[in-house]
Amino acid sequence: MQIRTLFLLSVIFAFLQGPVLPAVFVEGFLLILVVLGEYDEKGLLSNKAFLQVFGFSFVFDLIQGQSLGLTSLLFLAISFGLAVFKRNLFARKEVFLAVIVVCISFIRAKVVFGSFYPLSLLFIFFVTFFYARFVRRPDYTGLRIQ
Amino acid sequence: MRRARGLKYLPVLYFLASAFIFLLDSRGDLGLVHSFAQRATLPFDSWVFGAKRSLFLPFSSLFKIDLEIRVRELEERNSLLLGEIGRLKSVEEENVYLRKLLNVGLPSSWSFALASVISKVDDNLFLVGDFSPSLGTPVLVVGEEEGFKGGVFVGRVSRVLGRKVEVVLPTNEAFHMPVYVRDKTLGLRTASGLAIGRGGKLVVDQILASEGLNAGDLVFTSGDEEIGEDLLVGYVQEILPTKDGTWQQVEVKLAVNVEALDVVFFLVGGD
């Protein structure tokens, strides 16, 4: 994903989450989008992915008035963990992706806000599932075309 | 090669940077950043929230009925809880008084029942309580003052109206009982007489003129069929001039401040 797009999405949703949307909503989904899109030739997560994760997490914390760096720490740790799977697993399993996104959102909600939002978790599960199933190209493996 | 190796550790650097920022924020060093961010985002937040409320306002009537019922339920529950709190507070206060009663060394054969003071009207006191005393039952409180620790006489039951009880105070014109006087310094019994109410005042009459009295001496109940003995009534305030040389009178200041009473005890049993 382009950095500009990611930045714009994170700013828009950071503003909306709270007044309109639940406080934790699309961050997990954004993280998976970043991770899915930034594998290098060797199938490892690129440095750019980590930078993007660091950046958009910081934006969320800043706009939502939470402890700066907390979401970045969480999401970077999760990214390190996800990097182990490489791209092949991500390419195939829609339910697995959806469950990962729900877990990420749940962790952020519990750690940062001290509560969780069941309906929003359910919603984001289905959004991720349908995205992985119908929107993402089936042969997309995350390789950047040179 | 060196460059590639260096780039490999960039994610770790981002992680450390996040940790450092989090540490700084935990210490409160990034307050300015937060203030700036909140100042920049507040207008947008207010606008978004206002837009959301306007959007959902037409649908709020659908939920209004439920809300009203819920509010009513919560108000009822609130009233019940407030009542319970009031009751618990009063039980707590009664407990404190009962503990004091146990500590002042009254005869162990005496038994008591608690009552709450409603009001004082002229020389009468109105009480309410669960116990229904008989006429003439003495009413007392606990006194812990300089040189004295024990029961303080308040009055005698004159009327019982269900849970409400009327008590005649010693200053009532219809009141009289035998008393004795104790020297304030030596604690020795120095005189005895008859306490008579004079409408707002209490006077001890029929004291032998030869018995030495001083202002500040303590006046106690002598005890009769209904009232136990050694209950403090008051203090000698003024020794009145004698009329015929045989008897003397003293005016007595009550030991208890009746206006400030909340809880009293009926003396319901004992030798």
Side-chain angles (χ1 to χ4, degrees):
Chain A
M1 184 186 284
Q2 284 194 2
I3 289 180
R4 229 179 346 197
T5 313
L6 180 63
F7 178 75
L8 202 62
L9 280 174
S10 54
V11 166
I12 290 169
F13 279 102
F15 269 112
L16 292 176
Q17 285 176 206
V20 180
L21 299 171
V24 176
F25 200 54
V26 300
E27 303 92 308
F29 184 61
L30 286 177
L31 178 65
I32 285 298
L33 285 182
V34 165
V35 166
L36 281 178
E38 295 297 334
Y39 280 97
D40 62 16
E41 303 81 14
K42 293 179 189 169
L44 298 170
L45 212 52
S46 67
N47 290 339
K48 189 181 166 191
F50 288 103
L51 177 63
Q52 287 178 338
V53 167
F54 172 76
F56 92 79
S57 310
F58 188 85
V59 165
F60 268 97
D61 281 339
L62 184 68
I63 293 176
Q64 290 186 317
Q66 300 303 315
S67 300
L68 295 174
L70 182 57
T71 305
S72 309
L73 276 174
L74 272 174
F75 283 5
L76 281 169
I78 291 169
S79 302
F80 282 131
L82 292 176
V84 168
F85 289 102
K86 299 195 178 179
R87 63 177 184 273
N88 293 330
L89 197 59
F90 282 116
R92 287 180 217 146
K93 306 281 184 185
E94 300 91 3
V95 173
F96 179 76
L97 274 179
V99 167
I100 291 282
V101 166
V102 165
C103 290
I104 292 168
S105 302
F106 178 80
I107 290 170
R108 184 176 188 248
K110 268 297 187 185
V111 171
V112 178
F113 294 97
S115 59
F116 76 102
Y117 311 92
L119 283 177
S120 75
L121 290 180
L122 195 64
F123 181 78
I124 209 67
F125 175 88
F126 284 110
V127 164
T128 312
F129 180 83
F130 285 122
Y131 167 80
R133 183 92 188 198
F134 302 112
V135 177
R136 189 164 60 89
R137 284 176 297 169
D139 60 344
Y140 178 65
T141 53
L143 280 172
R144 269 180 293 168
I145 297 166
Q146 300 291 336
Chain B
M1 194 67 177
R2 208 182 293 165
R3 198 178 162 192
R5 227 186 283 151
L7 285 174
K8 205 165 60 172
Y9 296 106
L10 267 179
V12 177
L13 202 64
Y14 299 142
F15 191 82
L16 290 173
S18 304
F20 182 66
I21 292 168
F22 179 65
L23 184 68
L24 284 178
D25 200 21
S26 307
R27 284 156 45 98
D29 294 333
L30 299 179
L32 276 174
V33 176
H34 280 291
S35 307
F36 176 75
Q38 292 310 308
R39 212 172 289 143
T41 59
L42 192 62
F44 184 78
D45 276 346
S46 309
W47 178 80
V48 167
F49 194 72
K52 175 192 166 189
R53 211 157 37 167
S54 310
L55 195 67
F56 287 107
L57 195 61
F59 304 101
S60 66
S61 57
L62 288 173
F63 305 101
K64 204 176 171 191
I65 296 167
D66 282 341
L67 276 174
E68 276 178 3
I69 292 171
R70 184 86 180 118
V71 164
R72 206 168 26 245
E73 280 173 10
L74 286 170
E75 277 172 357
E76 275 172 20
R77 194 171 144 78
N78 195 33
S79 306
L80 278 168
L81 286 170
L82 283 171
E84 279 297 308
I85 288 170
R87 203 179 59 78
L88 285 168
K89 273 190 185 158
S90 114
V91 166
E92 211 174 37
E93 277 172 18
E94 286 173 12
N95 197 23
V96 167
Y97 286 115
L98 284 167
R99 275 172 200 255
K100 272 190 187 172
L101 194 67
L102 289 170
N103 282 336
V104 293
L106 290 167
S108 56
S109 58
W110 287 6
S111 50
F112 307 93
L114 195 135
S116 302
V117 175
I118 305 172
S119 64
K120 175 182 175 283
V121 177
D122 295 330
D123 295 310
N124 297 297
L125 201 62
F126 288 89
L127 314 174
V128 66
D130 294 325
F131 179 77
S132 194
S134 53
L135 296 179
T137 301
V139 176
L140 57 98
V141 289
V142 171
E144 284 177 288
E145 294 164 22
E146 285 180 28
F148 177 76
K149 191 176 170 184
V152 177
F153 182 76
V154 175
R156 205 195 323 234
V157 172
S158 61
R159 211 155 40 139
V160 178
L161 307 160
R163 288 188 77 227
K164 207 165 161 184
V165 176
E166 188 177 345
V167 170
V168 65
L169 297 171
T171 49
N172 192 300
E173 284 179 356
F175 183 89
H176 58 86
M177 75 174 170
V179 295
Y180 71 89
V181 182
R182 208 188 280 176
D183 183 80
K184 66 183 176 192
T185 317
L186 300 170
L188 298 171
R189 191 166 171 157
T190 53
S192 57
L194 186 68
I196 301 169
R198 292 273 166 89
K201 286 195 306 184
L202 178 63
V203 164
V204 179
D205 201 354
Q206 298 179 17
I207 302 172
L208 286 171
S210 56
E211 288 174 332
L213 294 168
N214 298 299
D217 285 348
L218 289 81
V219 179
F220 289 89
T221 56
S222 297
D224 58 17
E225 288 169 0
E226 290 160 340
I227 303 172
E229 61 178 346
D230 300 327
L231 293 172
L232 180 65
V233 177
Y235 304 93
V236 172
Q237 192 172 27
E238 190 186 344
I239 300 164
L240 300 170
T242 53
K243 287 179 188 172
D244 57 6
T246 310
W247 305 107
Q248 63 178 325
Q249 289 181 337
V250 295
E251 190 176 331
V252 174
K253 179 176 178 268
L254 290 180
V256 65
N257 180 4
V258 184
E259 308 281 351
L261 281 178
D262 289 322
V263 170
V264 295
F265 297 95
F266 296 118
L267 176 55
V268 297
D271 300 329

